[in-house]
Amino acid sequence: MIHSLFLINSSGDIFLEKHWKSVVSRSVCDYFFEAQERATEAENVPPVIPTPHHYLLSVYRHKIFFVAVIQTEVPPLFVIEFLHRVVDTFQDYFGVCSEPVIKDNVVVVYEVLEEMLDNGFPLATESNILKELIKPPTILRTVVNTITGSTNVGDQLPTGQLSVVPWRRTGVKYTNNEAYFDVIEEIDAIIDKSGSTITAEIQGVIDSCVKLTGMPDLTLSFMNPRLLDDVSFHPCVRFKRWESERILSFIPPDGNFRLLSYHVSAQNLVAIPVYVKHNISFRDSSSLGRFEITVGPKQTMGKTIEGVTVTSQMPKGVLNMSLTPSQGTHTFDPVTKMLSWDVGKINPQKLPSLKGTMSLQAGASKPDENPTINLQFKIQQLAISGLKVNRLDMYGEKYKPFKGIKYMTKAGKFQVRT
């Protein structure tokens, strides 16, 4: 299925390649580079690029393109999901997935890729299993391997590979038995100049960190499971039980994993947690413009909005800006015309504002359109969709685990038009 994998950095250099079936020439990536040139941003490169003899399927993460080369038609999502698994595995192994880290651990990278794909078909993609096959690099292990010439490959076949629960190691033991779940929601929205919502949707995930002894069987139920539109599960979840009862029943992998990702669409009336009041005006005859924005909380259930940053790409005619923030710091780059305001926390009693004037090119006509305001923010202990975990139960083991659930909402692509 997958013949080769090329890792390409944002400068367009191929810094790593791996071939499973036959060696595919690097020149196949020329088609990818052509598509990269046509795309204005890295995220806009088409994920599937047909060439005369191959298909190139790619994902872009951590400023690296992971490009798979295949020779026959296959379901593209199958390959794209595998590429995401590769990135997640590197992140799990090395802490971060970046070009320098991959180059520093190139031997482990090749060993892991060899185990993840067998003759072009996915084999072991669970971190649990891979870590028993190939031990993650540590400073001590690296030094020993350098001196003795040994590798990180384990001596025994992973226990999970032989069991009916291939994602979990057998014989796991912990002194503190803990299970933590993080419900993280990202809200994408476009708000028009009058403040009404054009589009709004929520992408959510439940990330888990489970450190439990033995073979626990967990059930997780929600107060309002009907909120979840299209849900993507970790393989450990029993899908029939979810379909019939809307309860998550699973034997969890050991350690960190993503239990599920979900999507809440605009039909469910997504709550907008912040609002922006704006007064941005340009005059035809004058070389001065007025700029005034205020940010405030809207539907936050009393929770604090923090980590607020506001960015806006100003029109080309704006030469400079003279602004005064009521809190935080701001910068304006006269070359790129990018305004950036680091607000911090929003205090509902004293709303943060940024006011001042803009210097415009003398004699130039006023800009065709007003700038768009982009927001970033975080709200702790709130899932903006209203999703709430009802209870978490454990069966199959005698001990009582410590259980914790956290919620967080953050901004994805959040735009306010002026």
Side-chain angles (χ1 to χ4, degrees), residues 187-220:
I187 179 166
D188 298 333
I190 298 174
I191 313 295
D192 71 8
K193 59 168 72 177
S194 63
S196 49
T197 307
I198 298 171
T199 65
E201 56 184 36
I202 293 165
Q203 316 290 343
V205 296
I206 299 182
D207 283 336
S208 315
C209 177
V210 176
K211 295 182 177 179
L212 298 175
T213 303
M215 197 65 79
D217 200 326
L218 304 179
T219 61
L220 186 73

Side-chain angles (χ1 to χ4, degrees), residues 214-266:
M215 197 65 79
D217 200 326
L218 304 179
T219 61
L220 186 73
S221 61
F222 299 100
M223 298 270 201
N224 39 8
R226 302 280 165 204
L227 274 174
L228 307 177
D229 278 359
D230 43 359
V231 189
S232 167
F233 297 105
H234 187 277
C236 68
V237 175
R238 297 178 180 104
F239 188 58
K240 286 272 192 296
R241 179 107 191 251
W242 170 260
E243 273 194 314
S244 59
E245 300 175 49
R246 284 289 189 261
I247 285 175
L248 293 177
S249 171
F250 57 99
I251 294 172
D254 181 39
N256 296 306
F257 66 100
R258 178 155 291 173
L259 181 62
L260 66 96
S261 51
Y262 60 91
H263 176 237
V264 181
S265 67

Side-chain angles (χ1 to χ4, degrees), residues 31-248:
Y31 296 98
F32 177 80
F33 294 136
E34 283 173 23
Q36 194 181 1
E37 274 177 34
R38 284 196 297 271
T40 48
E41 291 177 24
E43 287 87 355
N44 296 343
V45 176
V48 181
I49 301 167
T51 76
H53 303 291
H54 303 90
Y55 293 94
L56 304 182
L57 286 92
S58 65
V59 299
Y60 179 70
R61 285 179 64 183
H62 307 288
K63 298 185 179 173
I64 300 170
F65 288 100
F66 292 75
V67 183
V69 181
I70 56 173
Q71 282 188 338
T72 53
E73 272 198 45
V74 297
L77 287 178
F78 194 56
V79 181
I80 287 167
E81 173 60 24
F82 174 76
L83 293 175
H84 281 297
R85 285 288 177 97
V86 169
V87 182
D88 293 340
T89 303
F90 288 171
Q91 205 162 1
D92 202 21
Y93 259 74
F94 312 126
V96 287
C97 178
S98 65
E99 185 184 347
V101 169
I102 290 171
K103 284 178 174 173
D104 288 346
N105 298 284
V106 72
V107 175
V108 179
V109 166
Y110 277 115
E111 288 169 349
V112 167
L113 289 173
E114 196 61 54
E115 293 299 339
M116 289 186 81
L117 217 62
D118 179 36
N119 196 33
F121 289 88
L123 178 66
T125 57
E126 281 293 333
S127 278
N128 266 321
I129 304 303
L130 287 165
K131 281 179 178 173
E132 283 190 78
L133 282 164
I134 293 130
K135 294 179 173 57
T138 60
I139 294 167
L140 180 62
R141 202 173 282 143
T142 307
V143 171
V144 170
N145 289 355
T146 309
I147 296 166
T148 61
S150 56
T151 68
N152 286 23
V153 178
D155 305 327
Q156 295 170 319
L157 191 68
T159 49
Q161 287 288 72
L162 307 171
S163 77
V164 290
V165 188
W167 52 83
R168 187 173 178 85
R169 297 184 292 138
T170 53
V172 182
K173 283 192 172 71
Y174 286 104
T175 47
N176 294 332
N177 291 291
E178 304 165 324
Y180 298 106
F181 295 89
D182 290 346
V183 180
I184 302 165
E185 295 191 339
E186 208 167 83
I187 179 166
D188 298 333
I190 298 174
I191 313 295
D192 71 8
K193 59 168 72 177
S194 63
S196 49
T197 307
I198 298 171
T199 65
E201 56 184 36
I202 293 165
Q203 316 290 343
V205 296
I206 299 182
D207 283 336
S208 315
C209 177
V210 176
K211 295 182 177 179
L212 298 175
T213 303
M215 197 65 79
D217 200 326
L218 304 179
T219 61
L220 186 73
S221 61
F222 299 100
M223 298 270 201
N224 39 8
R226 302 280 165 204
L227 274 174
L228 307 177
D229 278 359
D230 43 359
V231 189
S232 167
F233 297 105
H234 187 277
C236 68
V237 175
R238 297 178 180 104
F239 188 58
K240 286 272 192 296
R241 179 107 191 251
W242 170 260
E243 273 194 314
S244 59
E245 300 175 49
R246 284 289 189 261
I247 285 175
L248 293 177

Side-chain angles (χ1 to χ4, degrees), residues 265-280:
S265 67
Q267 280 77 25
N268 291 6
L269 293 174
V270 175
I272 304 296
V274 293
Y275 69 86
V276 178
K277 277 186 181 168
H278 47 80
N279 180 11
I280 301 170

